[in-house]
């Protein structure tokens, strides 16, 4: 961040560098209140440059964002037998051991679209796609949650309807690839959404169709689309991946990165050594419905020991070359439901 971008003193009586340093150290939970002090502070705190400045200095914090089944029926009510699950977004701060629930998206006050996808960049959470919770029709909606303002806004719709696609985010852009269309045809197309410009751009196509694939961004350099299957090989998951170079703008195919025949949805993550890891293989307690979210050196892992079993929450310290042990978390009842998917947000 260039100090000369700001024309007046941030803090009266202090040099610009010290004023910026003081504001950079403020916890993200105070940003909404602090932004009301003056227009200059508001503009500073909302700018992407300020976000990257805080990130460079190590003042940002990673939190887990989970698409969670709240009470099995309604987001704000008791569990009702026979009622379709209603999903909302839970946020877990592992440093302060705090759980919060985001306000409902205004278009879907009774629950998010089923199987919607999450990604996060520049301190914002992006929700896109899924099925309308009433009609079960696929939707193209894009919603962005700003942790600073604590408000939702609507982004530009996805270019087309697709379900169970791979997603990943990096440097202000959200990448999507694969999945299937309204006619259940697997897709090889890929797009990128620019969060600042609110624009979609088409990427080159992958070498093959990939339905129910999983997306992982590695080292802010590559977008991996892992496994999936073609239209004619329904449910027969492939062991390869297509990798998009964020700098080169080219796709390449990598063999043998996933166990053939096994669904990768939510199970794929990145280990401390930069290699793909299957969260479901960490421990029998999370072998079913596993979901892992990296929070720096530790990972929040959720899952069940068997189909229909209770959902457990664990923290895992990732150590290269060592077997990772699960540390069970005590979770409030409100947040103990099934986790459909998740990602981390650095805020």
């Amino acid at each position: 961040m260039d100090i000369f971008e700001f024309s007046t003193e941030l803090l009266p009586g202090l040099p610009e560098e010290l004023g910026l340093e003081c504001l950079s150290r403020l916890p993200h939970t105070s940003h909404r209140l602090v932004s009301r002090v003056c227009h200059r502070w508001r503009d500073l705190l909302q700018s992407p440059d300020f976000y990257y400045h805080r990130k460079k200095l190590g003042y940002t914090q990673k939190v887990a964002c989970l698409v969670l089944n709240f009470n099995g029926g309604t987001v704000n009510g008791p569990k009702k037998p026979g009622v379709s699950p209603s999903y909302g977004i839970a946020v877990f701060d592992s440093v302060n051991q705090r759980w919060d629930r985001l306000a409902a998206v205004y278009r879907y006050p009774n629950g998010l679209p089923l199987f919607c996808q999450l990604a996060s960049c520049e301190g914002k959470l992006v929700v896109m796609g899924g099925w309308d919770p009433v009609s079960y029709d696929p939707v193209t909606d894009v919603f962005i949650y700003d942790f600073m303002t604590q408000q939702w806004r609507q982004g530009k719709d996805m270019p087309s309807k697709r379900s169970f696609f791979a997603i990943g985010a990096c440097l202000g852009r959200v990448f999507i690839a694969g999945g299937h269309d309204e006619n259940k045809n697997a897709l090889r197309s890929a797009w990128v959404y620019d969060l600042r410009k609110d624009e979609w751009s088409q990427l080159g196509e992958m070498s093959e169709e990939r339905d129910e694939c999983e997306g992982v961004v590695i080292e802010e350099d590559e977008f991996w689309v892992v496994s999936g299957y073609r239209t004619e090989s329904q449910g027969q998951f492939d062991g390869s991946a297509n990798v998009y170079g964020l700098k080169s703008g080219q796709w390449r195919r990598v063999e043998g990165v996933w166990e053939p025949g096994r669904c990768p949805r939510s199970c794929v993550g990145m280990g401390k050594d930069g290699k793909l890891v299957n969260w479901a293989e960490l421990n029998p307690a999370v072998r079913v419905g596993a979901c892992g979210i990296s929070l720096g050196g530790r990972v929040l892992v959720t899952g069940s020991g068997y189909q229909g079993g209770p959902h457990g929450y664990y923290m895992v310290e990732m150590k290269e070359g060592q077997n990772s042990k699960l540390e069970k978390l005590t979770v409030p009842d409100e947040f103990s439901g099934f986790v459909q998917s998740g990602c981390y947000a650095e805020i």
Side-chain angles (χ1 to χ4, degrees):
M1 172 178 285
D2 295 324
I3 301 300
F4 62 78
E5 292 177 6
F6 307 103
S7 57
T8 58
E9 291 182 339
L10 284 172
L11 292 175
L14 287 181
E16 285 291 274
E17 293 83 356
L18 290 181
L20 181 60
E21 178 72 15
C22 291
L23 293 180
S24 298
R25 288 173 175 265
L26 290 173
H28 68 86
T29 52
S30 68
H31 285 183
R32 185 183 184 188
L33 179 63
V34 171
S35 67
R36 300 175 182 174
V37 172
C38 62
H39 289 297
R40 191 179 178 212
W41 282 21
R42 181 199 62 194
D43 293 342
L44 171 64
L45 268 64
Q46 292 183 359
S47 71
D49 288 339
F50 182 65
Y51 169 81
Y52 284 113
H53 179 70
R54 292 175 57 245
K55 183 176 179 178
K56 181 180 179 181
L57 296 177
Y59 297 148
T60 53
Q61 178 185 343
K62 289 183 178 180
V63 298
C65 301
L66 310 171
V67 178
L68 182 67
N69 176 11
F70 282 102
N71 298 323
T74 57
V75 175
N76 296 306
K79 183 175 181 179
K80 297 180 180 180
V83 178
S84 299
S86 181
Y87 290 90
I89 296 178
V91 177
F92 175 56
D93 177 349
S94 64
V95 175
N96 299 305
Q97 293 293 300
R98 175 178 173 178
W99 288 87
D100 290 299
R101 188 170 67 194
L102 297 189
V105 176
Y106 49 86
R107 180 172 287 187
Y108 300 100
N110 295 317
L112 290 171
L114 302 176
F115 310 115
C116 61
Q117 301 282 42
L118 287 189
S120 178
C121 52
E122 296 189 340
K124 298 175 178 62
L125 183 66
V126 182
V127 179
M128 60 176 63
W131 299 353
D132 185 287
V134 176
S135 68
Y136 292 171
D137 292 330
V139 299
T140 58
D141 296 323
V142 175
F143 297 98
I144 299 105
Y145 184 81
D146 190 325
F147 284 94
M148 201 283 285
T149 63
Q150 299 178 25
Q151 293 180 338
W152 289 99
R153 65 178 173 87
Q154 189 161 8
K156 188 174 183 179
D157 284 357
M158 298 171 61
S160 61
K161 295 178 180 179
R162 68 175 66 206
S163 303
F164 299 101
F165 51 90
I167 189 170
C170 181
L171 301 176
R173 297 180 294 171
V174 179
F175 299 85
I176 65 171
H180 65 252
D181 62 18
E182 293 179 272
N183 298 315
K184 308 296 184 181
N185 293 316
L187 301 169
R188 53 190 291 186
S189 59
W191 292 78
V192 59
Y193 175 65
D194 190 307
L195 204 63
R196 298 190 199 182
K197 297 179 180 179
D198 192 30
E199 293 180 353
W200 285 94
S201 300
Q202 190 166 14
L203 304 177
E205 293 189 334
M206 298 183 290
S207 59
E208 59 271 312
E209 305 164 349
R210 293 185 182 273
D211 194 3
E212 293 196 55
C213 46
E214 183 74 358
V216 181
V217 171
I218 297 182
E219 297 294 332
E220 295 188 346
D221 186 50
E222 295 179 329
F223 173 47
W224 285 60
V225 182
V226 181
S227 191
Y229 52 82
R230 302 182 182 185
T231 304
E232 64 273 14
S233 57
Q234 185 79 14
Q236 298 178 22
F237 290 93
D238 191 81
S240 67
N242 279 120
V243 181
Y244 182 79
L246 274 58
K247 296 178 181 178
S248 68
Q250 301 294 320
W251 287 99
R252 62 186 175 90
R253 180 184 168 97
V254 181
E255 301 289 347
V257 300
W258 192 250
E259 180 183 346
R262 186 164 191 170
C263 178
R265 301 297 295 167
S266 300
C267 290
V268 180
M270 185 177 68
K272 193 172 182 180
D273 56 0
K275 297 181 180 180
L276 296 180
V277 60
N278 185 347
W279 302 126
E281 294 180 348
L282 288 179
N283 192 288
V286 293
R287 64 159 58 98
V288 177
C291 178
I293 301 172
S294 178
L295 300 173
R298 307 187 80 198
V299 180
L300 173 67
V301 180
T302 71
S304 301
Y306 54 91
Q307 195 70 38
H311 214 69
Y313 291 74
Y314 307 87
M315 290 299 297
V316 180
E317 186 173 354
M318 300 302 295
K319 295 181 179 180
E320 186 176 353
Q322 298 184 25
N323 293 327
S324 302
K325 295 183 179 180
L326 274 61
E327 175 188 338
K328 189 172 179 59
L329 298 178
T330 301
V331 179
D333 290 342
E334 179 184 8
F335 300 97
S336 60
F338 171 75
V339 175
Q340 177 182 287
S341 60
C343 71
Y344 74 81
E346 190 167 355
I347 55 181

